[in-house]
Structure formats: C-alpha cells, structure tokens
Amino acid sequence: MSPACHPVDDAIAFGPFHLFPEQQLLLEAGKPVRLGSRALEILVALVERPGEIVSKMELVARVWPNTIVVEGNLKVHIAALRKALGDGRDGNQYLVNVPGRGYKFVAPVVHPKRPAPLLPMLGAYPHTCHIPSPLTRILGRKDIVETIINKLSESRIVTIVGPGGIGKTTVALAVAAKLVASKKDGGGFVDLAPFADHLLVPSALATMLGVAVRSDNPIPSLIAFLAGKQMLIVLDSCEHVIAAVAVMASELLEGIAGLHILATSREPLRVAGESVQRLPPLKTPASSDGLTAAEALTFPSIQLFVERTSERIGAFRLTDMDAPLIADICRKLDGNPLAIELAAARVDAFGIRGVATQLNDRFRLLTSGWRNAPPRHQTLMVTLDWSYDFLPEIERVILRRLGIFVGYFDLEAASKVAASGAVTLWDILSGVANLVDKSLVSADVGSTVARYRLLDTTAAYARKQLVDHGEFEQLARSHVEYYLGLLERADALATLQRDEDWSIAYGDHIDNVRAALDWAFSLSGDPVIGVSLTIAAVSLWLQFSLMSECRRRVNLALESMKCGPNGGRRQEMQLLNALGVALYSVGPSPESRTVWTKVLEIAEELGDIDYQLRALWGLWFVCVTGSNHRSGLSLAKQFSILAAKTTDPLALFIGERLIGTSLYFWASNGVHDATSISC
C-alpha cells in the first residue's frame, strides 16, 4: 500500500479531526497537525477505546515497549496532545484525566466511509522542521529580525527579552523562518508555556524531537540524538521555568557544536555566551496634534491597529479625523502589539472614539483575543497575570507598590515609598533590578541618576493589585509625603541653583506630584497634606511656566481650606501669593488686585515683611500695567520704605527700581514736570 493514502476503514474522525493510525497522521480540517510520534500513539490508544479509562501503565507499555520511563514523560506527551487538539478551548473536550487511574477519550468518534486525501508524509521533507509559520504579517520588526539573525551568526544562543504581548514569539518565528533552511538538519520549536514543572523542560524538547527518554535525566539522550547535527531550536516562553531552561541550554550547547538556540523570555537566561536582544515597543507618534492619516501610517503601531481593524470591518479606512485618536490609543498602550490588537478588536463594537474613551478601564475593554492564541494572550489581564503570578512573593509586593508612581522615579523614591513592613531597603534595590531584568520595569541609565518607570499598562495593573490587596491608601499617603519632603527641600535649594540645574533635578517629578495632589484632594485623600504639597509645588509650576495649572491647583487648595481644617492664615497667604504670581500671565485684572490686597492684609496681620514686600510688588505691577501710574508710584514708595527696615540690599535695590520705573511711566504718559512729584 502506498504511504500516501489509506484504506477507508483506517480513518477515525472526531470533531474537526481525522486520525489515520497506519500513516501516523492527524488532520484538522484537512491540514496536517504537527504532533510527535509518541503523542500520536497515545491518541491512537485512547481513540481506539472511546469512553473507557486507559490506565497509565497500559499507555506507557504501548508507547515505550520494553523501556523503563518515568511518569513525567507521559504527562509531557499528554500536554502536547491536549495543546494540539485545543482541548478545553471553545468548550471542546477530548481527554479527561481520571486521578490515580489513567485517561479517557470522551469526544464522539466515527469511522467515515471515504478515502483520506492524498498527502505527503511529514518525513518526506528534506529538513526536519517543527517550527510553526507566523499566522499574521509582521510589522515594524524587519530591522530587529536582521539584528537577531546577525547575532545568531556570532553567538550560539540569543534570547529575545521583553514584556508580555510585545511580540517575542512572532519575532522568533520570523527569525527561524529565515534561518531554518540554512541548517542541514532543520529546526524545532518548543512552547514551554504549558509546563509548570521544571523537570519537564528537557522532556518537552525530547517530545518535539521524537527522542526516546529512558531515564529521569533526558539531557544525555538529547545530546546523543543531536550529536553531529546542525539545527536551530526555538525555546518559547521560558520565563516561568527559566532555571531549568538555562541548565538545559548550557549542557546542550557545550555538547553539540552545530546547535543554535533562540529563546524568548521576559528575562535573560544568564548563561555563558548568551546574547540578549530586548524587544522595544512598536514605534508610536510622540504627539498626535495635527497628525494626518498618511503620516500616521508610517508608524508600525498604527499600521497594526488599522490592519487588525480592517480584518473585522472590511470597509474601514483610516481618515485624518481618526488618525490622532488612534495615535493616542497606541501611545496609551505603550506600543504593545497584543494590547493594540485587543483594542482594534473592540472597534466594531464601540468605534474609534469609544475605544479611546474606555481605555481608562483597559482591563475590562481589552478581552477579545484570537481564539487560537495561547490562553495567556486572550486578554490583557491574563497576559499580565502570567508575569505577575510567576514572580517571587517579595517581587510581587514591590511591583504593585511601584505602581503608585506615575512616570519616572528613582531608587531613592522607590526606597522611601515602597519599603515598609517586611520589605527592606535591600529588597527594593535587588527587587527593582530583578524587575528590570524581567521586563516589568523600564530603566533609563543614560542620565546622571538612573531613573525607572512602569509602562502605562503595567502601572495600571500594579495599581489594581494595590487596590485588590488593600494597600493603595497607605502607599498613596507615603507617595504624597515623599514628594512633599522632596519639594520642600527643593524650594530651599532654589536660590542656590541655576534655573536650568533646578529644572533638570526636579522636572521629572512633575507627573508624580500631580498624581499625589489628585489623591490628596480626592474623597479618600487628605486635603491638609494636599494644601502643603500645593504650596511646595508652586516653584515647579512657575519654573515650567504652567500658570494655568498653578491657578487651578491653588484655587482647589484654597477651596478645600474653606471646607475643613486648614493650616491657618500663613498657608492661605502663601497660596494667595502663588495665585497672584500665576495671574501675571492673564494681565491686570480686578482679581489680581483683590488677591494681592488679601496677601498684604494677611502679611501685615502676621507681621511678615517678606510677604508684605511681595504683595506691594504685585499691587504695583497691577497698577503700572493698568496705566494707574499715580497709585503705582505710591506703592513703590511704600515698598522702598518697608525695604529700608530689612536692610536687605536686594530689597532696597528693587525699591529704587520701582520708583524709577514709576517716574518713567508717569513722564511717558504726559506729565512733563515729573521732578515736581515728591519722592
């Protein structure tokens, strides 16, 4: 009988599958399913007795005749078989484990009376290749694919590192597709995601290669099988079994000269000779202002969003109106391909604007992954759960506590805010370093002080974990207290540093200050500390000319002081002073005059000469810019008299300049005998 066809009685059908035991072939919807010979033999044994329990002993005796094997080998092949069948996906169930007894095939089985299609045997190909083909077009990764190919020519092991959903597997498959033909013995792909037991890692590779395992340690058998071969092995999703992968990779590379390994992981393997390639997000526009459709489509993140949306909505076309919205979506999702694909999958239900609006609750929104995607890529929440669940407990605590930060933070901030209870300073230092390795924290070491940040999606997940663990309020208070202390120290140093040095030192903190103020004035916050932080932050707003934001924040603080306990007249005076300065950008107005008059009143009440001078200067400015030069000159005189009491040379100098300027404006506006004005 020809090996390319089968007798009619040979076929066994269940669900979308046809099994041909004689040919050792499994088809799904007419296409071959890549499955190791031992996993296929297990399937045949179970399908021959549908509905019956087949003991583990029977299965081992059939698949490994006259061989002593450990039960773990059987588990590896059962896991591979379940994955190939999609067992448990979309409600389909084929295999049931009967604890302590064996396995049972539970799907309906039929024997169709028709010949199987003519198909070449899998072994007929010139290369042994168990590497799946990418199902979708790869975008924005051409250069990095070439970079990895070049690295593999210089190093025998390359690890693609990046956070969940960044596209590590997609890039690895693209690299393998280009390289495998150059390998005399082809290549292989092992998805390690289903294997939680470190001991099963070598067995998973052995299953893919079809290597018989006759001991508890399959690595010698693997080395013997691969000896003299030239192959590329792709080890996918190594992060949760990384120690076992590192040991196996080291031993294989040492024993097999022609072997190259391409691994994907959320952290490096840390083995000798390893070259690490960190996978960045897809490029996204820095700003969406005025972005046209043509300009937007030059960015891979937007290309991906548009392509996935078009697959669901055939008539979809990117317009100039939608381009800025989609750019904002991609930027908020950190250029993460999985998150972008999940967002695009919701356009048919909510529209572009609806998706953009609902991103604040991204974990509820982004839940429609491809049905044939790995379970960890079905929703954004599950993707992040995958990373979080495999962290040591101390790193879970640190990650969720770091979620309180918005934007960049440094090690000092992390230590002061996140170190408490069982978490020590040393835990923070080592934990941050480990989380950087695991692609959960981004590091920028190019500046004077190393700074760190969580990508927006990771930060949102970490904050959710903080809330779920009942720690958010405690961390939010620590966060506010840290930035209050930082800005109070910064204000004291402001006169000792040049403006540009001050801006560099404290400019990165502005997003965290905003977040701290938002919490302080929220329903669950503490407006008393919020008032203090607002006063301390004034220098920050003014340094960056954020006058509108300064006015809004100060007015909020002043309003809160009317509604509850407050720090008294001094804090009110400080806030009003800041409001008066922020009103300079508006120009002379009744509001400015009212504010500075109030500052002067409180300063006189408190006997604070410094703030009296500030108020007189503010009132003088309102008068001069409003062409009220007579009042301006009077205020300049008051300033000069008060400055004389301080013996401060700068105050005296300013007083003289105010009088001189008032006289100049007076003369310029038609009073020619300016000398007649008493000074």
Side-chain angles (χ1 to χ4, degrees), residues 155-402:
S155 173
R156 292 174 55 213
I157 178 168
V158 174
T159 305
I160 303 172
V161 173
I166 203 68
K168 300 184 293 294
T169 303
T170 300
V171 169
L173 291 177
V175 171
K178 291 197 170 192
L179 280 183
V180 73
S182 66
K183 302 297 179 184
K184 179 171 66 73
D185 298 292
F189 178 91
V190 183
D191 180 8
L192 294 170
F195 304 102
D197 188 343
H198 285 58
L199 297 176
L200 298 181
V201 169
S203 298
L205 177 57
T207 299
M208 184 274 294
L209 294 172
V211 177
V213 176
R214 295 179 172 84
S215 71
D216 289 344
N217 182 10
I219 292 180
S221 299
L222 286 168
I223 293 174
F225 175 82
L226 292 168
K229 290 184 170 62
Q230 294 181 7
M231 290 188 71
L232 171 68
I233 300 295
V234 180
L235 302 175
D236 190 43
S237 300
C238 301
E239 53 273 352
H240 61 300
V241 285
I242 197 159
V245 174
V247 170
M248 180 180 74
S250 294
E251 294 189 32
L252 292 179
L253 291 169
E254 184 178 345
I256 307 154
L259 179 66
H260 283 75
I261 294 176
L262 178 60
T264 74
S265 177
R266 300 187 188 183
E267 63 178 304
L269 300 185
R270 296 197 191 120
V271 298
E274 177 187 31
S275 178
V276 175
Q277 178 62 56
R278 290 200 176 267
L279 197 58
L282 293 178
K283 288 185 179 178
T284 304
S287 172
S288 55
D289 292 343
L291 188 71
T292 66
E295 292 167 341
L297 286 172
T298 63
F299 292 91
S301 60
I302 296 179
Q303 293 173 21
L304 178 63
F305 188 98
V306 170
E307 191 167 291
R308 294 295 176 267
T309 304
S310 299
E311 289 169 359
R312 288 178 174 259
I313 307 173
F316 179 79
R317 295 293 181 272
L318 182 63
T319 65
D320 289 346
M321 182 181 298
D322 287 337
L325 283 173
I326 293 176
D328 287 340
I329 291 170
C330 293
R331 188 165 52 252
K332 287 179 181 177
L333 295 175
D334 309 306
N336 183 292
L338 174 64
I340 290 170
E341 289 192 350
L342 292 172
R346 289 306 206 184
V347 173
D348 56 351
F350 302 111
I352 300 294
R353 191 169 297 277
V355 169
T357 301
Q358 295 187 52
L359 275 186
N360 288 335
D361 195 2
R362 63 190 70 189
F363 298 116
R364 288 183 183 273
L365 176 68
L366 307 182
T367 57
S368 294
W370 298 109
R371 294 187 191 279
N372 61 347
R376 67 187 184 280
H377 287 169
Q378 292 288 336
T379 75
L380 191 60
M381 178 67 81
V382 171
T383 298
L384 288 161
D385 282 340
W386 170 267
S387 293
Y388 183 78
D389 290 344
F390 285 113
L391 292 176
E393 178 59 27
I394 192 68
E395 290 178 18
R396 290 187 206 174
V397 175
I398 292 170
L399 178 64
R400 64 179 181 253
R401 290 186 179 183
L402 294 179

Side-chain angles (χ1 to χ4, degrees), residues 64 106 112 119 136 145 167 183 234 266 278 306 319 374 397 434 455 515 518 618 657 679:
W64 291 276
V106 295
L119 287 166
T136 57
V145 166
K183 302 297 179 184
V234 180
R266 300 187 188 183
R278 290 200 176 267
V306 170
T319 65
V397 175
N434 291 339
L455 296 179
D518 288 344
R657 292 298 301 267
C679 295

Side-chain angles (χ1 to χ4, degrees), residues 351-627:
I352 300 294
R353 191 169 297 277
V355 169
T357 301
Q358 295 187 52
L359 275 186
N360 288 335
D361 195 2
R362 63 190 70 189
F363 298 116
R364 288 183 183 273
L365 176 68
L366 307 182
T367 57
S368 294
W370 298 109
R371 294 187 191 279
N372 61 347
R376 67 187 184 280
H377 287 169
Q378 292 288 336
T379 75
L380 191 60
M381 178 67 81
V382 171
T383 298
L384 288 161
D385 282 340
W386 170 267
S387 293
Y388 183 78
D389 290 344
F390 285 113
L391 292 176
E393 178 59 27
I394 192 68
E395 290 178 18
R396 290 187 206 174
V397 175
I398 292 170
L399 178 64
R400 64 179 181 253
R401 290 186 179 183
L402 294 179
I404 201 67
F405 292 103
V406 178
Y408 285 104
F409 59 90
D410 56 27
L411 280 176
E412 180 192 351
S415 301
K416 293 291 177 61
V417 174
S420 65
V423 181
T424 66
L425 174 60
W426 174 247
D427 290 331
I428 295 295
L429 297 178
S430 59
V432 169
N434 291 339
L435 292 170
V436 169
D437 261 357
K438 295 171 183 178
S439 306
L440 289 167
V441 173
S442 299
D444 175 8
V445 295
S447 51
T448 306
V449 177
R451 55 185 193 162
Y452 307 88
R453 70 181 289 261
L454 275 64
L455 296 179
D456 288 349
T457 299
T458 308
Y461 178 86
R463 284 192 288 275
K464 183 180 184 304
Q465 291 294 328
L466 264 185
V467 173
D468 291 347
H469 285 80
E471 299 173 342
F472 184 84
E473 303 303 328
Q474 173 193 340
L475 264 292
R477 179 172 292 280
S478 296
H479 183 253
V480 172
E481 290 171 349
Y482 172 76
Y483 283 100
L484 173 59
L486 178 78
L487 291 183
E488 286 178 342
R489 294 193 301 274
D491 197 43
L493 293 172
T495 57
L496 303 177
Q497 289 181 301
R498 295 180 303 172
D499 286 351
E500 59 268 28
D501 293 336
W502 195 95
S503 299
I504 292 170
Y506 298 102
D508 281 344
H509 300 299
I510 195 164
D511 288 331
N512 277 296
V513 172
R514 287 167 172 154
L517 285 169
D518 288 344
W519 175 81
F521 291 113
S522 69
L523 291 177
S524 59
D526 181 352
V528 173
I529 197 172
V531 167
S532 297
L533 182 58
T534 303
I535 293 168
V538 167
S539 295
L540 202 59
W541 312 135
L542 301 184
Q543 189 72 34
F544 292 96
S545 300
L546 299 169
M547 301 303 187
S548 177
E549 182 172 3
C550 183
R551 292 194 297 271
R552 180 172 61 81
R553 299 282 187 184
V554 167
N555 278 322
L556 180 62
L558 286 167
E559 193 63 33
S560 77
M561 294 179 73
K562 298 176 183 176
C563 304
N566 57 70
R569 298 284 276 172
R570 174 162 294 279
Q571 285 193 323
E572 183 182 3
M573 176 183 70
Q574 291 172 310
L575 288 169
L576 287 167
N577 179 80
L579 182 58
V581 174
L583 285 167
Y584 287 154
S585 61
V586 177
S589 67
E591 183 184 3
S592 294
R593 182 183 297 278
T594 300
V595 167
W596 285 119
T597 301
K598 187 69 173 176
V599 173
L600 182 60
E601 174 190 319
I602 299 174
E604 289 174 342
E605 175 187 318
L606 298 176
D608 191 316
I609 293 179
D610 178 35
Y611 274 87
Q612 289 180 56
L613 291 172
R614 295 184 191 208
L616 289 169
W617 191 93
L619 287 167
W620 174 86
F621 183 83
V622 171
C623 289
V624 169
T625 53
S627 299

